């Protein structure tokens, strides 16, 4: 089964997301806001001034005008003008505001005070399979103004500000598209190979795309996902022994090679189920499964539902919490072995032959 030569494009094309409306934060002087654990990815850019953003358990990261940032789901974080400023609840401040530009720390410039202007949105995954593929995102990523990814966004920053400042025809659609652009540029920054503020390799398959050997195998997996690959055959494609390849793949991606391959197959097969009228058996064969039964069992382990349910029932429309934001089902957590917990667990025995995932 042929796919593109760009695994990131493959996954982006499969994204089933809801983007939150853009909002702005205008701050003066001494201020700090703390946001609790959230189920969405927070994405934003500093338009003017500077601030510090830090997730719990890590050192705050300084950001300046032109920098962009991403805070992963299930992280609590603070945004500060000064490191020693007392924190207020960000959720309460935003709920109390009647404007899409929330103002804190004063409303007028005074001697020695700096105005900070931040614009941001949110990305919610409605498909748990995609969320699991992107589970390697760092808790917080700073995309510096001088990087190619940030430079690509900078011409749009005035558009961001205009959309936050007033309601225009089609505003909700454009707001969502702008948030998606920020998110895609953040993913490109991750694929670039380093967490900008830490200078270290980014874990997960996104970071592995930049590895000269494992990246080539990931491309091959996406190009020929239905091929009956073995771990040894995949390693041989890049001149590595079975053991060396399996160890390096798991170290970089966080999953054994054939577990990752199964997860990608299920995601791609699910997209085909919803986009075409092909039978379940036909889709199973196209994605490397010997029988409809084996495919259905694997599909339910990864997604929690059968192929027929996945095809016929659209993603659940979430309810709304007390703050008016959509409340989405929690993304399944990963266990210490790197596999999803509960209904999303992939059996440890599926480690040798991808064409026969069911022992």
């Amino acid at each position: 089964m042929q796919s593109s030569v760009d695994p990131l494009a493959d996954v982006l094309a499969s994204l089933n997301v809801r983007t939150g409306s853009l909002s702005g934060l205008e701050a003066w002087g001494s201020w700090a806001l703390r946001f609790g654990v959230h189920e969405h990815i927070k994405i934003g850019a500093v338009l003017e001034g500077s601030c510090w953003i830090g997730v719990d358990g890590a050192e705050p990261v300084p950001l300046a005008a032109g920098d962009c940032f991403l805070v992963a789901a299930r992280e609590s974080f603070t945004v500060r003008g000064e490191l020693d400023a007392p924190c207020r609840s960000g959720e309460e401040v935003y709920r109390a505001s009647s404007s899409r530009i929330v103002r804190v720390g004063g409303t007028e410039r005074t001697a020695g005070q700096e105005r900070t202007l931040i614009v941001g949105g949110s990305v919610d995954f409605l498909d748990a399979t995609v969320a699991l593929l992107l589970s390697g995102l760092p808790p917080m990523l700073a995309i510096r103004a001088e990087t190619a990814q940030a430079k690509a966004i900078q011409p749009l920053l005035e558009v961001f500000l205009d959309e936050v400042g007033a309601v225009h025809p089609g505003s909700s659609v454009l707001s969502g598209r702008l948030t998606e652009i920020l998110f895609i540029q953040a993913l490109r920054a991750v694929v670039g190979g380093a967490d900008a503020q830490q200078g270290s390799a980014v874990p997960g398959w996104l970071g592995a795309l930049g590895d000269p050997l494992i990246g080539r195998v990931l491309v091959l997996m996406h190009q020929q996902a239905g091929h009956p690959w073995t771990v040894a055959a995949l390693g041989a494609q890049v001149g590595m022994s079975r053991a060396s390849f399996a160890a390096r793949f798991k170290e970089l991606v966080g999953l054994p090679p054939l577990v990752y391959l199964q997860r990608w197959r299920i995601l791609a097969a699910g997209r085909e189920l919803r986009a075409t009228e092909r039978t379940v058996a036909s889709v199973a064969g196209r994605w490397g499964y010997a029988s409809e039964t084996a495919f259905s069992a694997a599909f339910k382990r990864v997604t929690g539902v059968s192929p027929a349910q996945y095809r016929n029932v659209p993603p659940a429309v979430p309810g709304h919490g007390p703050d008016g934001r959509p409340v989405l089902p929690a993304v399944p957590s990963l266990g210490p072995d790197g596999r999803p917990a509960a209904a999303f667990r992939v059996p440890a025995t599926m480690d040798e032959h991808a064409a026969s995932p069911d022992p």
Side-chain angles (χ1 to χ4, degrees):
M1 180 67 186
Q2 290 292 323
S3 187
S4 79
V5 295
D6 182 355
L8 180 59
D10 285 339
V11 173
L12 289 174
S14 302
L15 288 180
N16 184 13
V17 302
R18 173 175 281 106
T19 54
S21 296
L22 289 170
S23 61
L25 174 65
E26 183 182 39
W28 301 82
S30 180
W31 59 275
L33 298 177
R34 187 179 194 283
F35 297 86
V37 172
H38 46 286
E39 297 297 339
H40 58 273
I41 290 174
K42 184 70 176 176
I43 191 83
V46 181
L47 277 61
E48 183 180 331
S50 62
C51 66
W52 298 78
I53 297 183
V55 298
D56 286 3
E59 290 295 320
V61 176
L63 298 177
D67 290 346
C68 303
F69 64 88
L70 177 148
V71 178
R74 297 207 154 190
E75 297 288 343
S76 52
F77 66 101
T78 58
V79 186
R80 302 171 180 266
E82 297 178 356
L83 289 177
D84 58 354
C87 272
R88 300 167 62 188
S89 166
E91 288 87 358
E92 291 180 4
V93 169
Y94 272 73
R95 280 197 297 267
S97 176
S98 59
S99 169
R100 292 174 69 188
I101 298 182
V102 177
R103 293 175 172 85
V104 296
T107 58
E108 295 182 1
R109 187 187 300 270
T110 58
Q113 284 194 341
E114 177 185 58
R115 177 182 185 245
T116 295
L117 185 59
I118 304 170
V119 65
S122 62
V123 177
D124 290 294
F125 293 113
L126 302 183
D127 189 319
T129 308
V130 177
L132 290 169
L133 279 176
L134 296 180
S135 62
L137 285 172
M140 191 266 176
L141 178 73
I143 309 166
R144 300 302 180 185
E146 63 272 13
T147 63
Q149 293 80 16
K151 286 179 178 178
I153 295 169
Q154 285 162 8
L156 296 174
L157 293 185
E158 288 300 321
V159 181
F160 277 72
L161 183 57
D162 186 52
E163 287 302 307
V164 169
V167 177
H168 304 287
S171 181
S172 61
V173 176
L174 182 56
S175 176
R177 295 293 185 269
L178 290 170
T179 303
E180 289 176 6
I181 289 171
L182 267 177
F183 180 59
I184 290 170
Q185 292 296 351
L187 294 186
R188 284 180 169 178
V190 174
V191 174
D195 181 336
Q197 71 272 12
Q198 299 295 336
S200 57
V202 173
W205 80 273
L206 280 168
L209 286 177
D211 182 84
L213 297 180
I214 302 305
R216 283 166 55 193
V217 174
L218 286 169
V219 169
L220 189 63
M221 285 177 163
H222 282 241
Q223 283 182 306
Q224 301 178 38
H227 184 77
W229 291 111
T230 64
V231 176
L234 286 168
Q237 292 292 320
V238 288
M240 299 179 70
S241 70
R242 182 193 185 282
S244 297
F245 166 71
R248 182 158 181 79
F249 190 99
K250 186 170 184 180
E251 176 187 3
L252 294 181
V253 178
L255 296 167
L258 300 188
V259 173
Y260 172 85
L261 180 60
Q262 184 191 58
R263 192 173 292 178
W264 166 244
R265 284 175 166 179
I266 295 302
L267 174 60
R271 181 174 59 184
E272 188 169 349
L273 285 170
R274 283 183 172 156
T276 73
E277 295 183 356
R278 302 182 70 91
T279 65
V280 173
S282 175
V283 172
R286 283 166 62 85
W287 292 100
Y289 288 87
S291 69
E292 181 178 346
T293 300
F295 172 68
S296 296
F299 196 97
K300 189 167 185 177
R301 278 198 302 271
V302 175
T303 67
V305 297
S306 70
Q309 289 173 311
Y310 190 90
R311 160 177 273 169
N312 297 323
V313 180
V317 177
H320 289 77
D323 59 355
R325 276 190 48 79
V327 177
L328 292 167
V331 173
S333 58
L334 298 181
D337 56 1
R339 293 191 297 274
F344 292 84
R345 179 170 296 281
V346 180
T349 52
M350 199 211 83
D351 187 46
E352 181 53 40
H353 207 289
S356 304
D358 293 49

